[in-house]
Amino acid sequence: MEKSKVYFTKEITPESLIKMYETLGVELKGKVAVKLSTGEAGGHYFLNPNLIKDLVHKVNGTIVECNTAYAGKRNTTKDHWETIKDHGFTDIATVDIMDEEGDMPIPVKNGFHLKEDYVGAHLKNYDSMLVLSHFKGHAMGGFGGALKNISIGIGSSNGKAWIHTAGKTKNPAELWGILPEQDHFLESMADASEAVINYMGKENMVYISVANNLSVDCDCDSNPHAPEMADLGIFASLDPVALDQACYDAVVNAEDPGKAALIERMDSRHGIHTVEAANKLGLGNREYEIVNID
């Protein structure tokens, strides 16, 4: 298989985000969803609305999110709207909580554990998607990037429980009592990613990951640990597997000694296994070529 292209720039600005999107050479059509994390209340490392605003406007996009499956300020639609507004996202664009009116099943064709994925019902209203991810650590997944953003991120509250338990329950109240072995959870994220990509159509999705504020904790954490390494830059690709692999490798290969904490978080959770599983499902290529964009 030919290596996938992953474009990279060290510059993290609104202008460079637009340049990275244009470099991908795909014009997103129809009604465009911009999937990102709007961040848990108390957190402050989520993608800054002022950083992403111009790109969201360029694609004429709607910012989309789904409710969470854990206690906090995003697990009910009412609280989630308050958090989205407090974090400034409604000031820059239209926002849609996709499971505000419930969820819907979409099929997993060749999954390790799941035969269906449960996503916000509003997903059916979109024709294409910009997957705009903040690459950073994650307490359960090791790291969060493009694959997490389209699996856990597009999962409804029930769907998040379904993925976390490898298909054992859709009830968030039961989630923490029946967690599966770690690799089964990671493989279920790959299963859900396959479902979303097949549903949307591979040709209708592009992926940009911003590797800044590199905390060991996710934007879903209300009190994330301060980053110990410097920002890396922006990565973009049409291949989510190559993109996540490239971001992981960039952390591992960085000269910054502050990378140790993030590497420990990623590897102690076997985070790269999500990428391995997605590769086995044919969602992308772990072999990639970095193309530097000035």
Side-chain angles (χ1 to χ4, degrees):
M1 185 184 295
E2 184 179 349
K3 291 182 179 181
S4 294
K5 285 185 169 59
V6 177
Y7 301 95
F8 172 72
T9 178
K10 291 182 179 179
E11 185 180 359
I12 303 176
T13 65
E15 295 77 16
S16 60
L17 267 178
I18 289 176
K19 188 172 184 179
M20 295 297 274
Y21 169 70
E22 291 175 340
T23 298
L24 291 173
V26 174
E27 183 181 351
L28 295 174
K29 304 285 178 60
K31 189 170 183 181
V32 179
V34 179
K35 177 62 190 75
L36 54 82
S37 172
T38 51
E40 185 61 42
H44 42 275
Y45 297 134
F46 53 85
L47 294 178
N48 189 304
N50 290 323
L51 173 66
I52 68 168
K53 175 177 66 175
D54 292 348
L55 177 57
V56 175
H57 290 176
K58 179 174 179 60
V59 301
N60 194 25
T62 298
I63 293 172
V64 301
E65 262 279 43
C66 284
N67 292 322
T68 62
Y70 56 84
K73 285 286 289 180
R74 293 192 299 155
N75 67 334
T76 68
T77 297
K78 177 179 180 296
D79 284 347
H80 200 168
W81 273 122
E82 290 179 5
T83 301
I84 288 169
K85 290 172 184 174
D86 288 346
H87 287 174
F89 289 99
T90 53
D91 293 334
I92 67 163
T94 301
V95 182
D96 180 8
I97 299 177
M98 291 194 293
D99 61 339
E100 184 170 12
E101 297 176 296
D103 58 18
M104 65 179 187
I106 58 175
V108 177
K109 293 183 179 178
N110 301 298
F112 291 95
H113 307 283
L114 307 182
K115 295 189 182 302
E116 62 278 322
D117 179 29
Y118 295 90
V119 299
H122 292 179
L123 183 64
K124 66 180 181 291
N125 299 332
Y126 296 94
D127 303 298
S128 58
M129 181 176 291
L130 166 58
V131 182
L132 184 55
S133 308
H134 174 212
F135 186 86
K136 69 287 176 191
H138 189 272
M140 296 185 70
F143 64 84
L147 293 169
K148 178 182 176 291
N149 201 5
I150 62 173
S151 55
I152 297 289
I154 291 176
S156 64
S157 182
N158 293 338
K160 287 177 172 63
W162 187 245
I163 296 167
H164 272 288
T165 62
K168 298 295 192 296
T169 185
K170 293 186 290 179
N171 184 351
E174 298 175 347
L175 165 60
W176 306 111
I178 52 175
L179 292 176
E181 62 179 83
Q182 177 69 359
D183 278 3
H184 290 184
F185 159 54
L186 302 173
E187 289 157 3
S188 296
M189 278 204 285
D191 290 350
S193 296
E194 184 218 56
V196 170
I197 291 170
N198 285 338
Y199 181 83
M200 292 299 299
K202 182 178 181 180
E203 69 280 4
N204 297 316
M205 300 180 73
V206 301
Y207 307 87
I208 299 176
S209 292
V210 182
N212 70 343
N213 295 318
L214 288 156
S215 172
V216 299
D217 294 316
C218 181
D219 296 335
C220 58
D221 195 314
S222 61
N223 187 29
H225 193 281
E228 295 186 27
M229 67 179 296
D231 297 347
L232 292 173
I234 301 173
F235 299 79
S237 184
L238 301 179
D239 180 338
V241 174
L243 183 59
D244 277 1
Q245 182 72 58
C247 290
Y248 171 89
D249 289 345
V251 173
V252 171
N253 296 325
E255 296 181 0
D256 188 338
K259 68 183 183 179
L262 183 51
I263 292 173
E264 191 281 332
R265 173 60 57 89
M266 295 192 301
D267 290 353
S268 64
R269 273 65 166 182
H270 199 196
I272 200 62
H273 188 57
T274 305
V275 176
E276 295 171 342
N279 172 247
K280 288 181 180 178
L281 291 177
L283 303 186
N285 188 3
R286 295 182 69 193
E287 298 293 324
Y288 61 88
E289 172 192 355
I290 288 285
V291 180
N292 287 292
I293 304 298
D294 295 327

